[in-house]
Amino acid sequence: MKWLSTISICIISNFCLSQKNIEALPIEQPIVLNAEFNESIWENAIWTSDFTQLKPRPGNKPTKRTEVAILYDQEALYFGIKCFDNPDSVSKVLSVRDDFNPNLDLFAIFIDTYNDRQNGFFFGITSRGVQLDAKIFNGDFNELLNLVWRSKTNINESGWFAELKIPYSALRFPKTEVQDWNINFGRQISRLREENTWNPVNPDLENYLLESGKVKNVVDISPPLRLALIPFLSSYVNFSKDSETLSSFNGGMDIKYGINEAFTLDVTLLPDFGQVVFDNQVLNISPFEIEFNENRQFFTEGTELFTKSELFYSRRIGVQTPSRVYNSQLGEGEYLEEIPNSVPLINASKVSGRLNNGLGIAVFNGITSEQTGNAINAGTGDKRAVTISPLSNYNVLVLDQNLKNNSFVTFTNTNVWRSGDFYDANVSGINAKLNTKNNDYYFSGQGVLSAILESEETSLGHTWGIETGKQRGNFTYWAEYYEESDTYDPNDLGFLRANNSRVAEINIGYRNFRPSFWNLNKFQSNLSVNYERLYAPNLFGGAFWQSRLVMVSKSFNAGGISINGALMENNDYFEPRGANIGEYKFIRPIWTNMGAWFSSNYQKRIAVDARLGYVDVQRGDWWEWQYNFEFRFRLSNQLFLLHEWEQSFQYNSEGYAVNFGEPEDEFDGILFGNRDRLTSEQSIGLDYTITNRLGMTFRLRHYNAKIKYNYFYELLESGQLSPLESFSGNDFNGISAFDINYNAFTIDMLLRWVFLPGSELNFVWKNSIFTSDSNVNARYWETLNNTLQNGPINTLSLKVIYWLDSQYLKKKTSAGI
């Protein structure tokens, strides 16, 4: 193994060189963006090159030369970029903004203006002039942040060149005479699947800020007034075959104001989220709530600090009200006639930023209005009006202190105040991560206290956990322990599937970024084992294991295998749906899940992803399997088509029997069932990019889940199942009250025109059908046809957003004078 050690030492030595420096040149004359560098000042600029490969061969010289230079004035930074290449080989693919597409030739800039190696900005430009930008936070990229900056590209006989103007209003930096910024550059050459960086980046962490260079000579610049007014107007038309056409007209405004050089205030007044894409709805028969992605722009842009401790789930504000809120208003035997999909949001605001000492501060406030509904008595059919969600105020406070070696400590508090006799909630938590000098080893910990505040009592709960391990190099490992008390509840402004647990886990991994066997480009593997118990009562839950192997060939095809399962029979205390967790249990059998996947080179015009899995269950005739195919077609440089088909099968699986109708037979115990479940999901995606400012996206999704019960059981106190021979599960009409055929069919189409930086016109078509019946024997295409016959709900909308920037208005005013 000496040869492996020698290679590893050489590679690491290459990555551990001192920081590179690039000198920026001040200018006074104006720059015209044309990517031709006609101004004489570009001849005097200090151009730097000497990039290093990150992929596919870390540490090697790039196959193509890259040069970059920086100019600046009192308004902006200017980047000159020369990506030398054969012009016939340069990627001509067009994409939508912020699409990190492997078919693009791309140049990237990573700027760390506070010199903490944890927070920064990413700006990217493709050879076709499409912009990408993101906020960098602890190595993660939030590409939902859309900044306003200007760029121009030019494909010529030497390759492709780019010229970027990034105004200071798009950045955050301290008010000092001499700016001390970290910076790095990257280049992606798509046809070679090659990624290069200016300051070498180690592939084990792939952190562009941690291993960045320095930009020198940026002096005597001042953070500008950052004020942008973003008014919008929108119009909606809703129609379906069974209802009359409805129309509406809305208007509102977002405001972005730089309180000082570090902090920004974001406010949304009379927000309109009607053009947000549909959630991927599924049939949920588990005892747990489903977590959906946040798609509302205000709650995805600039929220990195708020979500760092994973205590803030923004969909609680106006979308997913916790069931505990409206259930508290229901009497015995009552249920809600309809649970609304959303609660009106009156306004929301957030302030975030970071001080020179590395202290990040973030404050959020949102207010939702009262919403009422009808409660129905199941026995009498009586109906009464109830408040589903009262007037509510949501608050979040985050204090995040950066420490040396990419370490941090963070305090987060979330608070919900509700009017009337509803309960309030408060959660406070501290989490920290400490890294050694070279970031090889780490220790992290978290402690959180939750409080449900009712008029007569307060319920406190807690969670805490620790983790330590090695995160760099070929060999990695970590171990963790955490527990959540049975009263821990962060769900009023957070998300937790279930509390009441104690978990210990160990993990060991090996990876090689320069293997010399099997024609591989890289591979990685890991093995983990975890042990679970209830917190209260302290009862055994289960023991599980997982292994994984991932390989990437030199032709950039990837594949892998995974095997995981239960080491012994395990106790599920949640599936029985008992009022007191731990009072009942369901003994789950030993199972082993085996899977394999393959992903072909995305650089090809046709690429395919495939996945196959099989679950062996050691109980009766219970078994499961699933498969998935995704085909990617690059029909032209502007047109991209994606089709995905997935099916999963469960045969003779056992679980809590969820009824969707009223069964004729009464049963007082805990009812379980033996059932077959078939889930099919098909989606079609189409991207047509007309220009780098005009494009269309189309997404169609059909989800179908069929559950058919074979027979029923009673759950015994021992956790075993006893057959119920006389329980049919049928309703009074002889139709199964438990079988279901659920369908969700949605279409999201967006035509987007960015007519000015930050200003856009959006036309959206949304189409949806949600149905359920008991026809579980129908084949897929028959089911799809029956679903479409129900008639969709269609929404057509037009929205105009206009960006009014104070710096632009100031220049206009000065020119007029």
Side-chain angles (χ1 to χ4, degrees):
M1 297 292 288
K2 288 185 177 180
W3 59 272
L4 180 60
S5 300
T6 302
I7 292 176
S8 300
I9 290 172
C10 292
I11 295 172
I12 293 173
S13 298
N14 185 45
F15 287 120
C16 293
L17 298 174
S18 59
Q19 280 186 297
K20 289 184 176 181
N21 294 323
I22 182 171
E23 188 168 341
L25 187 67
I27 60 172
E28 295 182 358
Q29 64 268 45
I31 293 288
V32 177
L33 296 184
N34 54 20
E36 297 178 359
F37 310 114
N38 305 112
E39 297 87 355
S40 59
I41 190 64
W42 284 115
E43 297 179 5
N44 300 325
I46 302 172
W47 294 84
T48 185
S49 57
D50 193 24
F51 280 58
T52 303
Q53 268 197 51
L54 173 62
K55 298 175 184 178
R57 306 298 289 174
N60 281 14
K61 279 191 172 184
T63 56
K64 302 297 178 182
R65 181 176 174 81
T66 307
E67 294 182 358
V68 60
I70 305 176
L71 308 176
Y72 73 96
D73 57 20
Q74 292 300 308
E75 180 187 358
L77 295 171
Y78 302 86
F79 291 87
I81 300 157
K82 297 179 180 180
C83 298
F84 295 97
D85 206 340
N86 184 333
D88 295 331
S89 301
V90 172
S91 172
K92 308 302 191 299
V93 174
L94 266 175
S95 65
V96 297
R97 178 172 176 150
D98 293 331
D99 180 12
F100 290 79
N101 190 318
N103 295 305
L104 304 174
D105 281 0
L106 171 72
F107 187 87
I109 303 168
F110 311 89
I111 305 178
D112 169 16
T113 55
Y114 280 91
N115 197 22
D116 61 13
R117 302 183 183 276
Q118 298 184 49
N119 304 276
F121 298 89
F122 160 80
F123 299 90
I125 189 72
T126 75
S127 55
R128 293 295 303 271
V130 178
Q131 294 183 348
L132 303 88
D133 49 30
K135 181 72 181 297
I136 306 174
F137 186 73
N138 286 336
D140 293 328
F141 288 69
N142 181 0
E143 69 277 5
L144 298 174
L145 175 70
N146 286 327
L147 301 170
V148 176
W149 49 288
R150 298 178 183 273
S151 58
K152 189 70 176 178
T153 57
N154 175 30
I155 299 177
N156 53 45
E157 65 276 4
S158 299
W160 68 278
F161 293 178
E163 205 168 353
L164 277 59
K165 177 182 179 180
I166 301 177
Y168 299 137
S169 57
L171 301 171
R172 311 290 181 270
F173 55 90
K175 192 174 183 179
T176 59
E177 181 178 351
V178 178
Q179 298 297 324
D180 183 20
W181 297 351
N182 293 320
I183 198 166
N184 211 343
F185 307 107
R187 179 183 177 184
Q188 173 178 287
I189 307 174
S190 62
R191 71 183 185 280
L192 305 176
R193 296 299 294 268
E194 182 177 317
E195 295 181 28
N196 306 312
T197 61
W198 173 61
N199 204 79
V201 173
N202 198 318
D204 57 1
L205 283 184
E206 205 169 312
N207 191 318
Y208 299 91
L209 295 186
L210 180 64
E211 296 171 305
S212 56
K214 285 282 188 183
V215 57
K216 297 291 187 179
N217 197 41
V218 179
V219 297
D220 296 328
I221 65 171
S222 300
L225 171 66
R226 292 182 287 111
L227 173 61
L229 306 179
I230 313 167
F232 70 85
L233 294 173
S234 61
S235 179
Y236 293 84
V237 177
N238 300 277
F239 59 93
S240 67
K241 70 175 186 178
D242 297 325
S243 62
E244 62 181 72
T245 300
L246 301 175
S247 61
S248 62
F249 184 80
N250 305 307
M253 179 183 292
D254 290 348
I255 301 172
K256 296 180 180 294
Y257 173 60
I259 300 173
N260 55 28
E261 67 272 14
F263 290 91
T264 302
L265 168 67
D266 289 281
V267 179
T268 180
L269 303 174
L270 302 176
D272 175 13
F273 302 120
Q275 293 190 332
V276 170
V277 298
F278 286 108
D279 293 326
N280 289 338
Q281 295 288 348
V282 298
L283 176 64
N284 181 24
I285 60 172
S286 78
F288 310 116
E289 182 184 15
I290 295 177
E291 182 177 11
F292 292 101
N293 293 330
E294 175 62 87
N295 295 312
R296 298 171 296 174
Q297 185 174 354
F298 181 83
F299 292 98
T300 58
E301 186 177 284
T303 57
E304 301 82 14
L305 277 173
F306 297 104
T307 58
K308 184 173 184 177
S309 297
E310 298 182 350
L311 295 176
F312 177 52
Y313 181 51
S314 58
R315 285 176 61 98
R316 296 295 183 206
I317 305 170
V319 183
Q320 282 181 254
T321 301
S323 59
R324 180 172 183 164
V325 176
Y326 49 77
N327 285 338
S328 66
Q329 304 302 297
L330 300 178
E332 186 175 352
E334 287 186 327
Y335 65 92
L336 282 179
E337 181 179 37
E338 182 181 4
I339 300 176
N341 293 326
S342 62
V343 178
L345 176 65
I346 299 175
N347 60 60
S349 59
K350 57 181 184 278
V351 176
S352 62
R354 192 170 295 273
L355 300 174
N356 292 349
N357 61 4
L359 176 63
I361 303 174
V363 180
F364 173 89
N365 177 263
I367 301 175
T368 58
S369 63
E370 178 181 308
Q371 189 167 51
T372 60
N374 294 317
I376 299 177
N377 188 293
T380 64
D382 294 340
K383 181 186 297 187
R384 68 183 181 93
V386 296
T387 300
I388 298 176
S389 179
L391 178 68
S392 303
N393 187 287
Y394 301 86
N395 297 280
V396 184
L397 169 66
V398 180
L399 303 174
D400 177 56
Q401 179 62 60
N402 288 337
L403 305 174
K404 64 178 182 179
N405 304 326
N406 215 31
S407 304
F408 63 83
V409 58
T410 305
F411 169 80
T412 303
N413 174 265
T414 67
N415 188 77
V416 182
W417 292 339
R418 298 184 174 93
S419 63
D421 58 353
F422 287 81
Y423 72 93
D424 300 323
N426 188 282
V427 177
S428 296
I430 294 178
N431 67 309
K433 183 177 182 181
L434 303 176
N435 295 304
T436 57
K437 184 176 181 180
N438 294 322
N439 280 251
D440 291 341
Y441 302 91
Y442 71 94
F443 174 86
S444 64
Q446 181 186 46
V448 183
L449 180 69
S450 69
I452 301 298
L453 309 172
E454 300 185 273
S455 58
E456 298 180 356
E457 62 176 344
T458 297
S459 175
L460 299 178
H462 76 272
T463 180
W464 69 272
I466 55 173
E467 180 180 331
T468 186
K470 180 176 181 290
Q471 60 189 348
R472 303 200 71 168
N474 295 102
F475 288 98
T476 61
Y477 54 82
W478 53 262
E480 72 167 337
Y481 172 82
Y482 69 87
E483 66 178 41
E484 296 162 344
S485 71
D486 56 322
T487 54
Y488 175 61
D489 186 0
N491 280 331
D492 287 274
L493 201 43
F495 185 92
L496 180 67
R497 291 180 70 248
N499 57 13
N500 199 351
S501 64
R502 305 174 192 262
V503 177
E505 184 171 358
I506 57 173
N507 181 294
I508 185 170
Y510 177 76
R511 54 195 179 181
N512 192 328
F513 299 100
R514 295 176 64 97
S516 57
F517 53 88
W518 297 351
N519 198 36
L520 293 181
N521 184 44
K522 69 176 180 180
F523 82 92
Q524 59 187 54
S525 61
N526 72 285
L527 172 67
S528 64
V529 178
N530 72 299
Y531 177 82
E532 301 178 2
R533 300 185 69 88
L534 277 187
Y535 175 82
N538 186 5
L539 299 174
F540 171 74
F544 308 91
W545 67 283
Q546 178 178 338
S547 63
R548 183 175 63 99
L549 173 66
V550 176
M551 298 173 288
V552 180
S553 72
K554 290 183 179 179
S555 57
F556 304 104
N557 298 313
I561 57 174
S562 62
I563 306 176
N564 61 291
L567 293 170
M568 61 193 73
E569 288 187 333
N570 54 89
N571 299 323
D572 188 338
Y573 301 98
F574 298 93
E575 185 68 8
R577 323 291 166 99
N580 300 312
I581 300 299
E583 182 178 0
Y584 303 98
K585 67 179 179 181
F586 168 52
I587 299 178
R588 290 192 175 274
I590 298 174
W591 55 270
T592 303
N593 183 6
M594 297 162 282
W597 61 272
F598 171 80
S599 179
S600 67
N601 187 350
Y602 283 5
Q603 180 59 29
K604 306 296 184 181
R605 284 193 171 271
I606 300 177
V608 61
D609 292 339
R611 187 179 298 270
L612 179 66
Y614 174 79
V615 183
D616 177 58
V617 185
Q618 297 183 23
R619 178 176 294 173
D621 296 325
W622 184 348
W623 64 288
E624 305 175 9
W625 75 285
Q626 59 275 332
Y627 70 92
N628 170 281
F629 290 102
E630 182 178 278
F631 296 94
R632 309 168 69 91
F633 303 94
R634 181 156 51 89
L635 303 177
S636 71
N637 289 330
Q638 297 171 262
L639 188 60
F640 178 78
L641 174 66
L642 185 148
H643 177 255
E644 184 174 9
W645 171 257
E646 178 178 358
Q647 283 193 308
S648 63
F649 305 83
Q650 296 178 0
Y651 297 104
N652 298 299
S653 65
E654 297 171 350
Y656 183 84
V658 178
N659 61 295
F660 301 95
E662 189 66 30
E664 180 181 11
D665 302 323
E666 294 185 0
F667 181 72
D668 294 331
I670 299 178
L671 186 66
F672 270 58
N674 177 291
R675 61 205 178 200
D676 298 335
R677 175 167 181 163
L678 168 60
T679 301
S680 305
E681 184 171 355
Q682 181 174 204
S683 63
I684 297 174
L686 183 69
D687 291 340
Y688 179 43
T689 309
I690 304 168
T691 71
N692 60 359
R693 291 180 176 268
L694 177 63
M696 184 271 290
T697 61
F698 175 89
R699 298 290 182 270
L700 180 151
R701 174 181 180 264
H702 176 230
Y703 170 90
N704 170 240
K706 298 185 181 77
I707 298 178
K708 180 180 180 180
Y709 280 80
N710 302 313
Y711 40 88
F712 297 89
Y713 309 98
E714 177 183 8
L715 178 67
L716 304 177
E717 289 186 7
S718 63
Q720 303 289 344
L721 300 177
S722 176
L724 294 174
E725 303 292 346
S726 60
F727 188 87
S728 68
N730 293 334
D731 62 16
F732 293 94
N733 297 315
I735 299 174
S736 173
F738 294 84
D739 293 356
I740 188 170
N741 176 10
Y742 173 81
N743 291 272
F745 180 91
T746 57
I747 293 176
D748 291 280
M749 192 203 79
L750 165 65
L751 180 64
R752 183 188 187 197
W753 174 37
V754 181
F755 56 89
L756 287 172
S759 303
E760 56 191 58
L761 176 66
N762 295 324
F763 172 76
V764 170
W765 170 41
K766 299 180 68 174
N767 174 295
S768 63
I769 308 173
F770 299 97
T771 66
S772 61
D773 56 47
S774 59
N775 187 13
V776 295
N777 295 316
R779 295 184 178 274
Y780 173 79
W781 294 106
E782 179 185 353
T783 298
L784 175 58
N785 181 65
N786 292 338
T787 300
L788 296 176
Q789 296 305 314
N790 280 275
I793 298 175
N794 288 280
T795 301
L796 300 177
S797 61
L798 188 67
K799 188 173 185 178
V800 181
I801 304 171
Y802 197 83
W803 179 285
L804 294 170
D805 184 82
S806 62
Q807 297 299 309
Y808 175 77
L809 295 176
K810 182 179 179 181
K811 290 177 63 176
K812 281 287 187 180
T813 303
S814 300
I817 293 175

